[in-house]
Amino acid sequence: EAGVVQSPRYKIIEKKQPVAFWCNPISGHNTLYWYLQNLGQGPELLIRYENEEAVDDSQLPKDRFSAERLKGVDSTLKIQPAELGDSAVYLCASSLDGLAVTDTQYFGPGTRLTVL
Amino acid sequence: QKEVEQDPGPLSVPEGAIVSLNCTYSNSAFQYFMWYRQYSRKGPELLMYTYSSGNKEDGRFTAQVDKSSKYISLFIRDSQPSDSATYLCAMSPAGAGYSSASKIIFGSGTRLSIRP
């Protein structure tokens, strides 16, 4: 069974440029998460989707970040414009049913963003 | 003060040693405790989870939770070079009605190196 797929794996951009990350969750998983992981830190939740509905986006900086999950499968996270402080790893995770506390989250390998 | 505190290490031990990894937390609402392993350039993967207090064993791994002290531990017996990774503790509240799967709070991770 294929895991969570993310692309690109690495991205280097100049500040003020836009950037987008793509995630394909595990087949059949209804819940999708985007996390931000800074160097030497644990992941921090940005947004959670239940199917195509964003049910928790309280930590998403909405002035520059946006996300969508059309048709409740793939998801895209966008930053426009990027700032130096956005350099981090952006992780996507999926789970079968996010409402169950024992629902395991499976993480993708992440996209490592460097903003110059 | 962070809700979850974890010593970043690095921790280096010889092969075969017993490893002890620990986290402390401040939120008494946490009831669901997890340990994730993260290899370099990979996403975190769930190793073990424990609900409320007590011990849980899975092969060479034992997770302990002491809610009275707000302290959790992961022990690795007969450590192997393949155990070299960053270990992240994580926790969340639990209970009917919580959308708690999205409220996982991660520690910053402990880098572990097992010397052959």
Side-chain angles (χ1 to χ4, degrees):
Chain A
E1 180 183 285
V4 175
V5 179
Q6 290 188 248
S7 70
R9 290 294 315 277
Y10 304 91
K11 189 73 175 179
I12 301 174
I13 60 171
E14 303 265 335
K15 64 180 180 182
K16 300 185 181 179
Q17 294 299 306
V19 65
F21 315 123
W22 175 80
C23 173
N24 180 242
I26 293 173
S27 177
H29 281 192
N30 296 323
T31 308
L32 184 145
Y33 312 77
W34 283 102
Y35 285 89
L36 166 71
Q37 186 173 25
N38 285 305
L39 186 65
Q41 300 296 315
E44 299 174 33
L45 181 71
L46 289 172
I47 189 168
R48 175 171 71 97
Y49 282 93
E50 294 290 342
N51 296 301
E52 63 272 12
E53 182 183 359
V55 296
D56 185 353
D57 63 355
S58 57
Q59 301 303 311
L60 190 72
K62 298 182 183 61
D63 56 336
R64 297 184 301 108
F65 286 66
S66 64
E68 61 181 11
R69 191 184 184 197
L70 299 176
K71 301 182 180 179
V73 182
D74 295 0
S75 178
T76 302
L77 178 69
K78 298 178 181 177
I79 308 175
Q80 183 171 9
E83 296 179 353
L84 295 176
D86 296 332
S87 296
V89 175
Y90 292 83
L91 293 163
C92 179
S94 71
S95 65
L96 195 59
D97 175 4
L99 295 179
V101 72
T102 55
D103 191 38
T104 299
Q105 295 186 27
Y106 296 87
F107 285 82
T111 296
R112 184 176 298 270
L113 174 67
T114 301
V115 182
L116 302 176
Chain B
Q1 183 188 5
K2 292 183 178 180
E3 281 189 281
V4 179
E5 298 278 0
Q6 185 173 9
D7 188 332
L11 181 62
S12 180
V13 302
E15 183 176 354
I18 296 174
V19 176
S20 172
L21 304 167
N22 312 293
C23 287
T24 59
Y25 63 96
S26 58
N27 189 344
S28 57
F30 289 144
Q31 299 228 40
Y32 183 56
F33 303 92
M34 295 150 278
W35 286 95
Y36 283 80
R37 178 175 61 196
Q38 186 172 23
Y39 290 114
S40 181
R41 310 288 183 181
K42 302 287 187 183
E45 58 175 331
L46 182 66
L47 268 180
M48 298 181 68
Y49 68 86
T50 310
Y51 181 73
S52 196
S53 285
N55 294 358
K56 185 173 184 178
E57 187 173 320
D58 183 0
R60 298 184 294 110
F61 298 88
T62 300
Q64 285 186 353
V65 175
D66 181 350
K67 290 187 69 182
S68 63
S69 302
K70 296 189 175 66
Y71 189 87
I72 69 170
S73 301
L74 178 71
F75 297 96
I76 307 174
R77 292 183 300 280
D78 188 24
S79 56
Q80 303 295 310
S82 59
D83 295 329
S84 297
T86 295
Y87 289 79
L88 299 153
C89 63
M91 45 199 81
S92 72
Y98 271 106
S99 296
S100 53
S102 72
K103 303 298 184 184
I104 293 177
I105 307 298
F106 285 85
S108 56
T110 299
R111 281 180 55 194
L112 173 66
S113 176
I114 309 298
R115 306 189 303 271

